Amino acid sequence: MLTIQHNIDLGEHTTFGCPARAEHAAVVTNIQDLQEAVAYARDKGLAIRVLGGGSNVLLTGNVAGLVIINQIYQRAECVDGHDVHIRFGSGENWHDAVTWTVSQGWSGMENLALIPGTVGAAPMQNIGAYGVEQASIFEELEAFHFESGEIRKYTAVECDFGYRVSVFKRELRDKVMITSVTYRLSLDPKLVTSYRDVQEELAAMSITTPRTLDIYNAVVSVRTRKLPDPRVIGNAGSFFMNPVITAEQASELLEKYPTMPNYPQSDGTVKVAAGWLIEQCGWKGARNGASGVHDRQALVLVNHGGAVGSEVLELAEKIQRSVADTFGITLVREVNVW
Ligand code: EPU
């Protein structure tokens, strides 16, 4: 039997830790709970929002309607030749899922170690790190539609994955809840070691022929060194996306700033490093009240303790204005603001 809670603190359910209350909330552990929660919202005419690990949300005020807290856990694997198909319940913790697959000797998720959040949130924003996006191992997912009550399967094409985006962050935002995700891993590792940080870490570990576990360890080590642990200092990873600009604008900027990190894309556009732009504008380590810019990675905004969401948002807006004034580039938030 599902319990609906009222006026609960949501801050502790997010990695930023900014305070806010949910009018109604329900912890959902299976499809039946989900159906009951959605029926409750429909009866009362409440809007529905889904919270997974709360690792990509900044709370800036109390949340009206019903917040569904996803705790659907499941792991089921099927080995087919060299392929391993693994279906995860969407409430599974992402890093625990990665760690488990690596310990089983399956390859594919190792570069995505230590990303906070749930498995269900991974396809939503097509998480990526160290040269790999979840899209590259994605097989299919199931999503529950709030209006029809139906569960539908989605292929990768239907998910329409892009850089930190999918159909679930656009057209289907707040209309569905992802309930399971299936990934295709391999017993025959095809390791991605192209990212400089990973190469440097492997070299420091004196590893010349890495195995899946070595990549995992290298990624965990880089992330631990560069990114703040949300259990210690509130944050939601990269606050902004890396902007994509035209080749023309990139070459103009490179003339003025020859050291600007830049990554030409296959369509002729150029991705630039938001962290570098923010650092150049002098924001690294800066503070706005109890919120601040991380001192080792300027793309990450942090809660030094007791920050409210509006303070973080104000800091983000100041950074956006300053990067726009200096470089003529608009930074777009990666974090969802509630
Ligand atoms: N840089 C700076 N100053 C900074 C931060 C970065 O000069 O304060 C420079 C770095 O020296 C490097 C470049 O910017 O030349 C890129 O930095 P980094 O390799 O740290 O990666 P990123 O582009 O800042 C992205 C993802 C991260 C992911 C890393 C590693 C986005 C928005 N962020 O960050 O993902 O872990 O690459 O692959 O794409 C996240 O999405 O929450 C996230 C943490």
Side-chain angles (χ1 to χ4, degrees), residues 193-281:
T193 56
S194 50
Y195 210 90
R196 203 184 65 189
D197 279 355
V198 172
Q199 283 174 2
E200 286 175 0
E201 199 63 36
L202 290 170
M205 291 156 72
S206 307
I207 291 168
T208 43
T209 42
R211 297 158 305 145
T212 306
L213 180 63
D214 299 321
I215 306 287
Y216 170 92
N217 285 335
V219 167
V220 167
S221 172
V222 174
R223 287 191 81 100
T224 306
R225 192 156 26 88
K226 288 201 164 177
L227 296 166
D229 179 347
R231 288 167 304 184
V232 181
I233 179 163
N235 75 89
S238 302
F239 197 89
F240 303 102
M241 291 192 266
N242 282 327
V244 177
I245 60 177
T246 62
E248 197 186 357
Q249 190 181 6
S251 64
E252 275 168 26
L253 284 171
L254 280 166
E255 237 166 71
K256 210 164 160 197
Y257 308 99
T259 59
M260 178 179 80
N262 64 100
Y263 315 96
Q265 306 292 294
S266 52
D267 62 0
T269 59
V270 179
K271 196 185 267 184
V272 291
W276 184 88
L277 300 172
I278 297 168
E279 182 175 350
Q280 295 305 304
C281 293

Coordinates of all heavy atoms in Angstrom, one line a residue, residues 193-281:
T193 N 40.2 4.9 -24.2 CA 41.2 5.5 -23.4 C 41.7 6.8 -24.0 O 42.8 7.3 -23.7 CB 42.4 4.6 -23.3 OG1 42.9 4.3 -24.6 CG2 42.1 3.3 -22.6
S194 N 40.8 7.4 -24.9 CA 41.3 8.6 -25.6 C 41.3 9.9 -24.8 O 42.0 10.8 -25.1 CB 40.3 8.8 -26.8 OG 39.0 8.8 -26.4
Y195 N 40.6 9.9 -23.7 CA 40.5 11.2 -22.9 C 41.8 11.4 -22.2 O 42.3 10.5 -21.5 CB 39.3 11.1 -21.9 CG 38.7 12.4 -21.6 CD1 37.6 12.9 -22.3 CD2 39.1 13.1 -20.5 CE1 37.0 14.1 -22.0 CE2 38.5 14.3 -20.2 CZ 37.5 14.8 -21.0 OH 36.9 16.0 -20.6
R196 N 42.3 12.6 -22.3 CA 43.7 12.9 -21.7 C 43.8 12.6 -20.2 O 44.8 11.9 -19.8 CB 44.0 14.4 -22.0 CG 45.5 14.6 -22.0 CD 45.9 16.0 -22.1 NE 45.4 16.8 -21.0 CZ 45.5 18.1 -20.9 NH1 45.9 18.8 -21.9 NH2 45.0 18.8 -19.8
D197 N 42.8 13.0 -19.5 CA 42.8 12.7 -18.0 C 43.0 11.2 -17.7 O 43.7 10.8 -16.8 CB 41.5 13.2 -17.3 CG 41.6 14.7 -17.1 OD1 42.6 15.3 -17.3 OD2 40.5 15.2 -16.7
V198 N 42.3 10.4 -18.5 CA 42.3 8.9 -18.3 C 43.7 8.4 -18.7 O 44.3 7.6 -17.9 CB 41.2 8.2 -19.1 CG1 41.4 6.7 -19.0 CG2 39.8 8.6 -18.6
Q199 N 44.2 8.9 -19.8 CA 45.6 8.5 -20.2 C 46.6 8.8 -19.2 O 47.5 8.0 -18.8 CB 46.0 9.2 -21.5 CG 45.3 8.6 -22.7 CD 45.5 9.4 -24.0 OE1 46.3 10.4 -24.0 NE2 44.9 8.9 -25.1
E200 N 46.5 10.1 -18.6 CA 47.5 10.5 -17.6 C 47.4 9.6 -16.4 O 48.4 9.3 -15.8 CB 47.3 12.0 -17.3 CG 47.8 12.9 -18.4 CD 47.5 14.4 -18.2 OE1 46.9 14.7 -17.2 OE2 47.8 15.1 -19.1
E201 N 46.2 9.3 -16.0 CA 46.0 8.5 -14.8 C 46.5 7.1 -15.0 O 47.2 6.6 -14.1 CB 44.5 8.5 -14.5 CG 44.1 8.1 -13.1 CD 44.6 9.1 -12.0 OE1 44.6 10.3 -12.3 OE2 45.0 8.6 -11.0
L202 N 46.3 6.5 -16.2 CA 46.8 5.2 -16.4 C 48.3 5.2 -16.4 O 48.9 4.3 -15.8 CB 46.3 4.6 -17.8 CG 44.8 4.3 -17.8 CD1 44.4 4.0 -19.3 CD2 44.5 3.1 -16.9
A203 N 48.9 6.2 -17.0 CA 50.4 6.3 -17.0 C 50.9 6.4 -15.5 O 51.9 5.8 -15.1 CB 50.8 7.6 -17.8
A204 N 50.2 7.2 -14.7 CA 50.6 7.4 -13.3 C 50.5 6.1 -12.6 O 51.2 5.8 -11.6 CB 49.7 8.5 -12.6
M205 N 49.5 5.2 -13.0 CA 49.4 3.9 -12.4 C 50.3 2.9 -13.0 O 50.2 1.7 -12.7 CB 47.9 3.4 -12.6 CG 46.9 4.3 -11.8 SD 45.2 4.2 -12.5 CE 44.7 2.5 -12.1
S206 N 51.2 3.3 -14.0 CA 52.1 2.4 -14.7 C 51.4 1.3 -15.4 O 51.9 0.2 -15.5 CB 53.1 1.8 -13.7 OG 53.8 2.8 -13.0
I207 N 50.2 1.6 -16.0 CA 49.5 0.6 -16.7 C 49.6 0.9 -18.2 O 49.2 2.0 -18.7 CB 48.0 0.6 -16.3 CG1 47.9 0.0 -14.9 CG2 47.1 -0.3 -17.2 CD1 46.6 0.2 -14.2
T208 N 50.1 -0.1 -19.0 CA 50.3 0.1 -20.4 C 49.2 -0.6 -21.2 O 48.8 -0.2 -22.3 CB 51.7 -0.3 -20.9 OG1 52.0 -1.5 -20.3 CG2 52.7 0.7 -20.6
T209 N 48.8 -1.8 -20.7 CA 47.7 -2.5 -21.4 C 46.5 -2.6 -20.4 O 46.4 -3.6 -19.7 CB 48.1 -3.9 -21.9 OG1 48.9 -4.5 -20.8 CG2 48.9 -3.9 -23.2
P210 N 45.7 -1.6 -20.4 CA 44.6 -1.5 -19.4 C 43.5 -2.6 -19.6 O 43.2 -2.9 -20.8 CB 44.0 -0.1 -19.6 CG 44.4 0.4 -20.9 CD 45.7 -0.4 -21.3
R211 N 42.9 -3.0 -18.5 CA 41.7 -3.8 -18.5 C 40.5 -3.0 -18.1 O 40.7 -1.8 -17.7 CB 41.9 -5.0 -17.6 CG 43.0 -6.0 -17.9 CD 43.4 -6.8 -16.7 NE 43.7 -5.8 -15.6 CZ 43.5 -6.1 -14.3 NH1 42.9 -7.2 -13.9 NH2 43.8 -5.2 -13.4
T212 N 39.3 -3.5 -18.2 CA 38.1 -2.8 -17.8 C 38.3 -2.2 -16.4 O 38.0 -1.0 -16.2 CB 36.9 -3.7 -17.9 OG1 36.9 -4.3 -19.2 CG2 35.6 -2.9 -17.7
L213 N 38.7 -3.0 -15.5 CA 38.8 -2.5 -14.1 C 39.8 -1.3 -14.0 O 39.6 -0.5 -13.1 CB 39.3 -3.7 -13.2 CG 39.4 -3.4 -11.7 CD1 38.1 -2.9 -11.1 CD2 40.0 -4.6 -11.0
D214 N 40.9 -1.4 -14.8 CA 41.9 -0.3 -14.7 C 41.2 1.1 -15.2 O 41.5 2.1 -14.6 CB 43.1 -0.6 -15.6 CG 43.8 -1.8 -15.2 OD1 43.9 -2.1 -14.0 OD2 44.2 -2.6 -16.1
I215 N 40.4 1.0 -16.2 CA 39.8 2.2 -16.7 C 38.8 2.7 -15.6 O 38.8 3.9 -15.2 CB 38.9 2.0 -18.0 CG1 39.8 1.3 -19.0 CG2 38.2 3.3 -18.4 CD1 40.7 2.2 -19.7
Y216 N 38.1 1.8 -15.0 CA 37.2 2.2 -13.9 C 37.9 2.9 -12.8 O 37.6 3.9 -12.3 CB 36.5 0.9 -13.4 CG 35.7 1.0 -12.1 CD1 34.3 1.3 -12.2 CD2 36.3 0.8 -10.9 CE1 33.6 1.4 -11.0 CE2 35.6 0.9 -9.7 CZ 34.2 1.2 -9.8 OH 33.5 1.3 -8.6
N217 N 39.1 2.2 -12.4 CA 39.9 2.8 -11.3 C 40.4 4.2 -11.6 O 40.4 5.1 -10.8 CB 41.0 1.9 -10.9 CG 40.5 0.7 -10.1 OD1 39.4 0.7 -9.5 ND2 41.2 -0.5 -10.2
A218 N 40.8 4.3 -12.9 CA 41.4 5.6 -13.4 C 40.3 6.7 -13.3 O 40.6 7.8 -12.8 CB 42.0 5.4 -14.8
V219 N 39.1 6.4 -13.8 CA 38.0 7.3 -13.8 C 37.7 7.7 -12.4 O 37.5 8.9 -12.1 CB 36.8 6.8 -14.6 CG1 35.6 7.6 -14.4 CG2 37.2 6.7 -16.1
V220 N 37.6 6.7 -11.5 CA 37.2 7.0 -10.1 C 38.3 7.9 -9.5 O 38.0 8.9 -8.8 CB 37.1 5.7 -9.3 CG1 37.0 6.0 -7.8 CG2 35.8 4.9 -9.7
S221 N 39.5 7.7 -9.8 CA 40.6 8.5 -9.3 C 40.6 9.9 -9.8 O 40.7 10.9 -9.0 CB 41.9 7.7 -9.6 OG 43.0 8.5 -9.3
V222 N 40.3 10.1 -11.1 CA 40.3 11.5 -11.7 C 39.1 12.2 -11.1 O 39.2 13.4 -10.6 CB 40.1 11.4 -13.2 CG1 39.9 12.8 -13.8 CG2 41.3 10.8 -13.9
R223 N 38.0 11.6 -11.1 CA 36.8 12.3 -10.6 C 36.9 12.6 -9.1 O 36.5 13.7 -8.7 CB 35.5 11.4 -10.7 CG 35.0 11.3 -12.2 CD 33.7 10.6 -12.3 NE 32.6 11.6 -12.0 CZ 31.9 12.2 -12.9 NH1 32.1 11.9 -14.2 NH2 31.0 13.0 -12.6
T224 N 37.5 11.7 -8.3 CA 37.6 12.0 -6.9 C 38.6 13.2 -6.7 O 38.4 14.0 -5.8 CB 38.2 10.7 -6.2 OG1 37.4 9.6 -6.5 CG2 38.3 10.9 -4.7
R225 N 39.6 13.3 -7.5 CA 40.5 14.4 -7.4 C 40.0 15.7 -7.8 O 40.2 16.8 -7.2 CB 41.8 14.0 -8.2 CG 43.0 14.9 -8.0 CD 44.3 14.2 -8.3 NE 44.2 13.2 -9.3 CZ 44.3 13.4 -10.6 NH1 44.4 14.6 -11.1 NH2 44.2 12.4 -11.5
K226 N 39.2 15.7 -8.9 CA 38.8 17.0 -9.6 C 37.4 17.5 -9.1 O 37.1 18.6 -9.2 CB 38.8 16.8 -11.1 CG 40.1 16.7 -11.7 CD 40.1 17.1 -13.1 CE 41.5 17.4 -13.7 NZ 41.5 17.6 -15.1
L227 N 36.5 16.5 -8.8 CA 35.1 16.9 -8.6 C 34.7 16.8 -7.1 O 35.1 15.8 -6.5 CB 34.2 16.1 -9.5 CG 34.3 16.2 -11.0 CD1 33.6 15.1 -11.7 CD2 33.8 17.6 -11.4
P228 N 33.9 17.7 -6.6 CA 33.6 17.6 -5.2 C 32.6 16.5 -4.9 O 31.7 16.2 -5.8 CB 32.9 19.0 -5.0 CG 32.4 19.5 -6.3 CD 33.4 18.9 -7.3
D229 N 32.8 15.8 -3.8 CA 31.9 14.7 -3.5 C 30.6 15.3 -2.9 O 30.7 16.0 -1.9 CB 32.6 13.8 -2.4 CG 31.8 12.7 -1.9 OD1 30.6 12.6 -2.2 OD2 32.4 11.8 -1.2
P230 N 29.5 15.0 -3.5 CA 28.2 15.6 -3.1 C 27.9 15.3 -1.6 O 27.1 16.0 -1.0 CB 27.2 15.1 -4.0 CG 27.8 14.2 -5.0 CD 29.3 14.1 -4.7
R231 N 28.5 14.2 -1.1 CA 28.1 13.9 0.3 C 28.9 14.8 1.2 O 28.6 14.9 2.4 CB 28.5 12.4 0.6 CG 27.6 11.4 0.0 CD 28.2 10.0 0.0 NE 29.5 10.0 -0.6 CZ 30.3 8.9 -0.8 NH1 29.9 7.8 -0.4 NH2 31.5 9.0 -1.3
V232 N 29.9 15.5 0.7 CA 30.7 16.4 1.6 C 30.4 17.8 1.3 O 30.2 18.6 2.2 CB 32.2 16.1 1.3 CG1 33.1 17.0 2.2 CG2 32.6 14.7 1.5
I233 N 30.2 18.1 0.0 CA 29.9 19.5 -0.4 C 28.8 19.5 -1.5 O 29.0 18.9 -2.5 CB 31.2 20.3 -0.8 CG1 30.9 21.7 -1.2 CG2 32.0 19.6 -1.8 CD1 32.1 22.6 -1.2
G234 N 27.7 20.1 -1.2 CA 26.6 20.0 -2.1 C 26.9 20.5 -3.5 O 27.5 21.5 -3.7
N235 N 26.5 19.7 -4.5 CA 26.6 20.2 -5.9 C 25.9 19.2 -6.8 O 25.4 18.2 -6.4 CB 28.1 20.2 -6.3 CG 28.7 18.8 -6.5 OD1 28.7 18.3 -7.6 ND2 29.2 18.1 -5.5
A236 N 25.7 19.6 -8.1 CA 25.0 18.8 -9.0 C 25.9 18.5 -10.3 O 25.4 18.5 -11.4 CB 23.7 19.4 -9.4
G237 N 27.2 18.4 -10.1 CA 28.1 18.1 -11.2 C 28.2 19.4 -12.1 O 28.0 20.5 -11.6
S238 N 28.4 19.2 -13.4 CA 28.5 20.4 -14.3 C 27.2 21.2 -14.2 O 26.1 20.6 -14.5 CB 28.8 20.0 -15.7 OG 29.9 19.2 -15.8
F239 N 27.3 22.5 -13.9 CA 26.1 23.3 -13.8 C 25.6 23.7 -15.2 O 24.4 23.8 -15.4 CB 26.3 24.5 -12.9 CG 25.0 25.1 -12.4 CD1 24.4 24.7 -11.3 CD2 24.4 26.1 -13.2 CE1 23.2 25.2 -10.8 CE2 23.2 26.6 -12.8 CZ 22.6 26.2 -11.6
F240 N 26.6 23.9 -16.1 CA 26.2 24.3 -17.5 C 26.7 23.3 -18.5 O 27.6 22.4 -18.1 CB 26.9 25.6 -17.8 CG 26.6 26.8 -16.9 CD1 27.5 27.2 -15.9 CD2 25.4 27.5 -17.0 CE1 27.2 28.2 -15.1 CE2 25.1 28.5 -16.1 CZ 26.0 28.9 -15.2
M241 N 26.1 23.3 -19.7 CA 26.6 22.4 -20.7 C 27.8 23.1 -21.4 O 28.0 24.3 -21.3 CB 25.5 22.2 -21.8 CG 24.4 21.3 -21.2 SD 23.3 20.8 -22.5 CE 22.1 22.0 -22.4
N242 N 28.7 22.3 -22.0 CA 29.7 22.9 -22.8 C 29.1 23.5 -24.1 O 28.4 22.8 -24.8 CB 30.8 21.9 -23.1 CG 31.7 21.6 -22.0 OD1 32.0 22.4 -21.2 ND2 32.2 20.3 -21.9
P243 N 29.3 24.8 -24.3 CA 28.6 25.4 -25.5 C 29.2 24.9 -26.8 O 30.4 24.6 -26.9 CB 28.9 26.9 -25.3 CG 29.9 27.0 -24.3 CD 30.1 25.8 -23.5
V244 N 28.3 24.9 -27.8 CA 28.8 24.5 -29.2 C 28.6 25.8 -30.0 O 27.5 26.4 -30.1 CB 27.9 23.4 -29.7 CG1 28.2 23.0 -31.1 CG2 28.0 22.1 -28.8
I245 N 29.7 26.2 -30.6 CA 29.7 27.5 -31.4 C 30.1 27.2 -32.9 O 30.5 26.1 -33.2 CB 30.7 28.5 -30.8 CG1 32.1 28.0 -30.7 CG2 30.2 28.9 -29.4 CD1 33.1 29.0 -30.2
T246 N 29.9 28.2 -33.7 CA 30.3 28.0 -35.1 C 31.8 28.0 -35.3 O 32.5 28.5 -34.4 CB 29.7 29.1 -36.0 OG1 30.4 30.4 -35.5 CG2 28.2 29.3 -35.9
A247 N 32.3 27.4 -36.4 CA 33.7 27.3 -36.6 C 34.3 28.7 -36.8 O 35.4 29.0 -36.3 CB 33.9 26.5 -37.9
E248 N 33.5 29.6 -37.3 CA 33.9 31.0 -37.5 C 34.2 31.7 -36.2 O 35.2 32.3 -36.0 CB 32.8 31.7 -38.3 CG 33.2 33.0 -38.9 CD 32.0 33.7 -39.6 OE1 30.9 33.2 -39.5 OE2 32.2 34.8 -40.1
Q249 N 33.2 31.5 -35.3 CA 33.3 32.2 -34.0 C 34.5 31.5 -33.2 O 35.3 32.2 -32.5 CB 32.0 32.0 -33.1 CG 32.0 32.8 -31.9 CD 30.8 32.6 -31.0 OE1 29.9 31.8 -31.4 NE2 30.6 33.4 -30.0
A250 N 34.7 30.2 -33.4 CA 35.8 29.5 -32.7 C 37.1 30.0 -33.2 O 38.0 30.3 -32.4 CB 35.7 28.0 -32.9
S251 N 37.3 30.3 -34.5 CA 38.6 30.7 -35.0 C 38.8 32.1 -34.6 O 40.0 32.5 -34.3 CB 38.7 30.5 -36.5 OG 37.8 31.2 -37.2
E252 N 37.8 33.0 -34.5 CA 38.0 34.3 -34.0 C 38.5 34.3 -32.6 O 39.4 35.0 -32.2 CB 36.7 35.1 -34.1 CG 36.4 35.8 -35.4 CD 34.9 36.3 -35.5 OE1 34.3 36.6 -34.5 OE2 34.4 36.3 -36.7
L253 N 37.8 33.4 -31.8 CA 38.2 33.4 -30.3 C 39.6 32.8 -30.2 O 40.4 33.3 -29.3 CB 37.2 32.5 -29.6 CG 35.8 33.2 -29.3 CD1 34.8 32.2 -28.7 CD2 36.0 34.4 -28.3
L254 N 39.9 31.8 -31.0 CA 41.2 31.2 -30.9 C 42.4 32.1 -31.3 O 43.5 32.0 -30.7 CB 41.3 29.9 -31.7 CG 40.7 28.7 -31.1 CD1 40.4 27.6 -32.1 CD2 41.5 28.2 -29.9
E255 N 42.1 33.1 -32.1 CA 43.1 34.1 -32.5 C 43.4 34.9 -31.2 O 44.5 35.2 -31.0 CB 42.5 35.0 -33.6 CG 43.4 35.0 -34.8 CD 42.7 35.7 -35.9 OE1 42.5 36.9 -35.9 OE2 42.3 34.9 -36.9
K256 N 42.3 35.2 -30.5 CA 42.5 36.1 -29.3 C 43.0 35.2 -28.1 O 43.7 35.7 -27.2 CB 41.1 36.7 -29.0 CG 41.2 38.0 -28.3 CD 39.9 38.8 -28.4 CE 39.8 39.8 -27.3 NZ 38.5 40.3 -27.1
Y257 N 42.5 34.0 -28.0 CA 42.8 33.1 -26.9 C 43.3 31.8 -27.4 O 42.6 30.8 -27.4 CB 41.5 32.9 -26.0 CG 40.8 34.1 -25.6 CD1 39.7 34.5 -26.3 CD2 41.2 34.8 -24.5 CE1 39.0 35.7 -25.9 CE2 40.5 36.0 -24.1 CZ 39.4 36.4 -24.8 OH 38.7 37.5 -24.4
P258 N 44.6 31.8 -27.8 CA 45.1 30.5 -28.5 C 45.1 29.3 -27.6 O 45.1 28.2 -28.1 CB 46.5 30.9 -28.8 CG 46.7 32.3 -28.5 CD 45.6 32.8 -27.7
T259 N 45.0 29.4 -26.3 CA 45.0 28.2 -25.4 C 43.6 27.7 -25.1 O 43.5 26.8 -24.3 CB 45.7 28.5 -24.1 OG1 45.0 29.6 -23.4 CG2 47.2 28.9 -24.3
M260 N 42.6 28.3 -25.7 CA 41.2 27.9 -25.4 C 41.0 26.5 -25.8 O 41.1 26.1 -27.0 CB 40.2 28.8 -26.1 CG 38.8 28.5 -25.9 SD 37.6 29.5 -26.7 CE 37.7 28.9 -28.4
P261 N 40.6 25.6 -24.8 CA 40.3 24.2 -25.2 C 39.1 24.2 -26.2 O 38.1 24.9 -26.0 CB 39.9 23.5 -23.9 CG 40.4 24.4 -22.8 CD 40.4 25.8 -23.4
N262 N 39.3 23.4 -27.3 CA 38.2 23.4 -28.3 C 38.1 22.0 -28.9 O 39.2 21.4 -29.1 CB 38.3 24.5 -29.3 CG 39.6 24.3 -30.1 OD1 39.5 23.8 -31.2 ND2 40.7 24.6 -29.5
Y263 N 36.9 21.5 -29.2 CA 36.7 20.2 -29.7 C 35.9 20.2 -31.0 O 34.6 20.3 -30.9 CB 36.0 19.3 -28.6 CG 36.6 19.5 -27.2 CD1 36.1 20.3 -26.3 CD2 37.8 18.8 -26.9 CE1 36.6 20.5 -25.0 CE2 38.4 18.9 -25.6 CZ 37.8 19.8 -24.7 OH 38.4 20.0 -23.5
P264 N 36.5 20.2 -32.2 CA 35.7 20.3 -33.4 C 34.8 19.1 -33.5 O 35.2 18.0 -33.2 CB 36.8 20.3 -34.5 CG 38.0 20.7 -33.8 CD 37.9 20.2 -32.4
Q265 N 33.5 19.3 -33.9 CA 32.5 18.3 -34.0 C 32.4 17.8 -35.4 O 32.8 18.6 -36.4 CB 31.1 18.8 -33.5 CG 31.2 19.4 -32.1 CD 31.4 18.4 -31.0 OE1 30.6 17.5 -30.8 NE2 32.6 18.4 -30.4
S266 N 31.7 16.7 -35.6 CA 31.6 16.1 -37.0 C 30.8 17.0 -37.9 O 31.0 17.0 -39.2 CB 31.1 14.7 -37.0 OG 29.9 14.7 -36.2
D267 N 29.9 17.8 -37.4 CA 29.1 18.7 -38.2 C 29.7 20.1 -38.5 O 29.0 21.0 -39.0 CB 27.7 18.9 -37.6 CG 27.7 19.6 -36.3 OD1 28.9 19.9 -35.8 OD2 26.7 19.8 -35.7
G268 N 31.0 20.2 -38.1 CA 31.7 21.5 -38.5 C 31.6 22.5 -37.3 O 32.3 23.5 -37.3
T269 N 30.7 22.3 -36.3 CA 30.7 23.2 -35.2 C 31.8 22.8 -34.2 O 32.5 21.8 -34.4 CB 29.3 23.1 -34.4 OG1 29.2 21.7 -34.0 CG2 28.1 23.4 -35.3
V270 N 32.0 23.7 -33.2 CA 33.1 23.5 -32.3 C 32.6 23.6 -30.8 O 31.9 24.5 -30.5 CB 34.2 24.5 -32.5 CG1 35.4 24.3 -31.5 CG2 34.7 24.5 -33.9
K271 N 32.9 22.5 -30.1 CA 32.5 22.5 -28.6 C 33.6 23.2 -27.9 O 34.8 22.9 -28.1 CB 32.2 21.1 -28.2 CG 31.5 21.0 -26.9 CD 31.4 19.6 -26.4 CE 30.1 18.9 -26.8 NZ 30.0 17.6 -26.2
V272 N 33.3 24.1 -27.0 CA 34.3 24.7 -26.1 C 34.0 24.4 -24.7 O 32.9 24.1 -24.3 CB 34.4 26.3 -26.4 CG1 34.9 26.5 -27.8 CG2 33.1 27.0 -26.2
A273 N 35.1 24.5 -23.8 CA 35.0 24.1 -22.4 C 34.4 25.2 -21.6 O 35.1 26.2 -21.4 CB 36.4 23.7 -21.9
A274 N 33.2 25.0 -21.1 CA 32.6 26.0 -20.2 C 33.4 26.3 -19.0 O 33.5 27.5 -18.6 CB 31.2 25.6 -19.9
G275 N 34.0 25.3 -18.4 CA 34.9 25.4 -17.2 C 36.0 26.4 -17.5 O 36.3 27.3 -16.6
W276 N 36.6 26.3 -18.7 CA 37.7 27.2 -19.0 C 37.2 28.7 -19.1 O 37.8 29.6 -18.6 CB 38.3 26.7 -20.3 CG 39.6 27.5 -20.7 CD1 40.9 27.3 -20.4 CD2 39.6 28.7 -21.6 NE1 41.7 28.2 -20.9 CE2 41.0 29.1 -21.7 CE3 38.6 29.4 -22.3 CZ2 41.3 30.2 -22.4 CZ3 39.0 30.5 -23.0 CH2 40.4 30.9 -23.1
L277 N 36.1 28.8 -19.8 CA 35.5 30.2 -20.0 C 35.2 30.8 -18.7 O 35.5 32.0 -18.5 CB 34.2 30.1 -20.8 CG 34.2 29.5 -22.3 CD1 32.8 29.3 -22.8 CD2 35.1 30.4 -23.2
I278 N 34.6 30.0 -17.8 CA 34.2 30.6 -16.5 C 35.5 30.9 -15.7 O 35.6 32.0 -15.0 CB 33.4 29.5 -15.7 CG1 32.0 29.3 -16.5 CG2 33.1 30.0 -14.3 CD1 31.2 28.1 -16.0
E279 N 36.5 30.0 -15.7 CA 37.8 30.3 -15.0 C 38.4 31.6 -15.6 O 38.9 32.4 -14.8 CB 38.7 29.1 -15.2 CG 40.0 29.4 -14.4 CD 41.0 28.2 -14.4 OE1 40.6 27.1 -14.8 OE2 42.1 28.4 -13.9
Q280 N 38.4 31.8 -16.9 CA 39.0 33.0 -17.5 C 38.3 34.2 -17.0 O 38.9 35.3 -16.9 CB 38.9 32.9 -19.0 CG 39.7 31.8 -19.7 CD 41.2 31.8 -19.3 OE1 41.9 32.8 -19.5 NE2 41.7 30.7 -18.7
C281 N 37.1 34.1 -16.7 CA 36.3 35.3 -16.2 C 36.5 35.5 -14.7 O 35.9 36.4 -14.1 CB 34.8 35.2 -16.5 SG 34.5 35.2 -18.3

